[in-house]
Amino acid sequence: MILIIDFGSQYNQLIARRVRECHVYCQIHPPTIALDDIQSLDPKGLILSGGPSSIYENQSPRIDPAIFDLKIPVLGICYGMQFMMDTLGGTVKGVGKREYGFAELQVKSQEGLFKGVANKTKCWMSHGDAVEKLPRGFKITASTENTKIAATAHVKKNLFGLQFHPEVVHTPKGKTILRNFLFDVCGCKHIWTMKSFARDSIAQIQKTIGNKKVILGLSGGIDSSVTALLIHKAVGNKLTCIFVDNGLLRKDEAVKLKNTFKQHLNINIRYVNARNRFLNDLTGVTDPERKRKIIGRIFIRVFEAEAKKIKGAEFLAQGTLYPDVIESISAFGGPTAVIKSHHNVGGLPKKMKLSLVEPLRYLFKDEVRLLGKELGLPEELIWRQPFPGPGLAIRIIGEVTRQRLAILREVDAVLLEEIKNYGYYKKLWQSFAVLLPIKSVGIMGDQRTYENIVAIRAVTSKDAMTADWAKLPHNLLGHISNRIINEVRGVNRVVYDISSKPPSTIEWE
Ligand code: XMP
């Protein structure tokens, strides 16, 4: 495995992605990690990430300098390189004007990290400081016009520094450089695949859970579905899934999910129909945060009550993914403003006195999809777009009523059918409809109508942190609009949302 030290770079998850794409396992840890912990992880190499700080600031993040004596190869990127240089006796200085963007890299020779890289190649720079003087034993391995020490190496000690970012796509040979580090320098092997991950995690889960019982809250999303499948492969019917139908799901979703898990995958599933409870408590509520709180609270109660019926359960499985883990351990996370309360969920296991099992906690979303495929999850579930926990309640602006839910469900079904027909479903991060709390005048036949408006939202995104509104073809939009207005009673106008995130969010509430 490769250990990545997070100095706060916006790119550190990308470094991890690149390493994993080379089929090498890696983990990201903060610089506060103890030397003993590093040694017990036994990494084949260390990558020190970039970061927003200057090495000469008082508060700049640092890791125990003894890492350079462990005889483990180290690659420092941007701030990581500057930290290495500063620690080992070189000097780093501000460059006056921040260098940001493409630069032409002049490579000294095609060896070491630059094996297979041409003399001249593009690289991506983003820094305000640069190395001025190298520590003893280091030599320059590449330069750009503005940055003489754009890359450096101490070949005997296997220490390397890059001022530019090999992990971003704007450095076309970045992956070659990283591969050279991983395979030639660190001696890693390409053995991290979803097959090996599945095998190892199944063994690990068997060891942890043994003969005891485990429960899992199934939502129908990819994360909880893959977690269920993985745990089921490991401990079979020791796993019970609880699926709470909150009445806020898409058309036919509850039935489909029940069938897939029960009949197709043969997994124990307890279906709890709590629709009335949720809908009754939502009566008269229009504030989005209150909706979320109510839904969250009832979910926990219903789930707990159901879980209590499973006598002797000791474990609770959750589909937590790596980006959430990284965010919560990041040394630079700091307190962020609560935009929507779903970003701060938790508390379920503590109250329930169950031990947590989170087999996906080191995976990224697309790896979870690959794992789902490996485990035989049906395509439909693998490619299901994310769906928020509070469901359609936060897509009905204003009060959630049974009648409004019925309208939105029909609209949503038509929309998804057309998006799929046109081959856009997998290309979009999410596509859905929002029912607005205002009416508009229309004409149908010779009659005046005064009915609901729905907004269509379709976005592309990698991780939901940022998103672009999708440039759907006009004929697709036209088709969706026609079908909705013709087929769904109560709707006489369709509008398309052309805002990106930020400053808008993906959901309207
Ligand atoms: P926003 O609207 O914050 O959404 O841009 C980002 C992603 O999170 C989903 N989302 C939620 N998921 N509970 C959830 O489980 C929620 O309350 C919630 N609100 C938003 C949203 O669908 C998008 O994928």
Side-chain angles (χ1 to χ4, degrees), residues 288-289 292 339-343 345 385-391 394-395 429-430 432 457 459 461 463-467 501 504-509:
E289 281 307 276
R292 281 195 173 77
I339 311 288
K340 298 186 185 182
S341 53
H342 75 95
H343 297 294
V345 287
Q385 292 175 354
F387 186 68
I394 54 165
R395 294 178 179 172
W429 172 264
Q430 275 171 302
F432 56 88
R457 181 84 165 130
V459 295
S461 175
D463 48 17
M465 303 289 282
T466 60
K501 173 182 180 175
S504 303
T505 51
I506 295 177
E507 304 289 347
W508 278 39
E509 289 201 329

Side-chain angles (χ1 to χ4, degrees), residues 47 58 136 287 309 324 355 375 377 394 401-402 468 488:
I47 298 181
N58 269 343
R136 268 184 58 188
D287 176 69
K309 296 183 195 160
D324 305 326
S355 310
L375 297 171
L377 194 70
I394 54 165
T401 62
R402 287 173 175 80
D468 276 333
V488 185

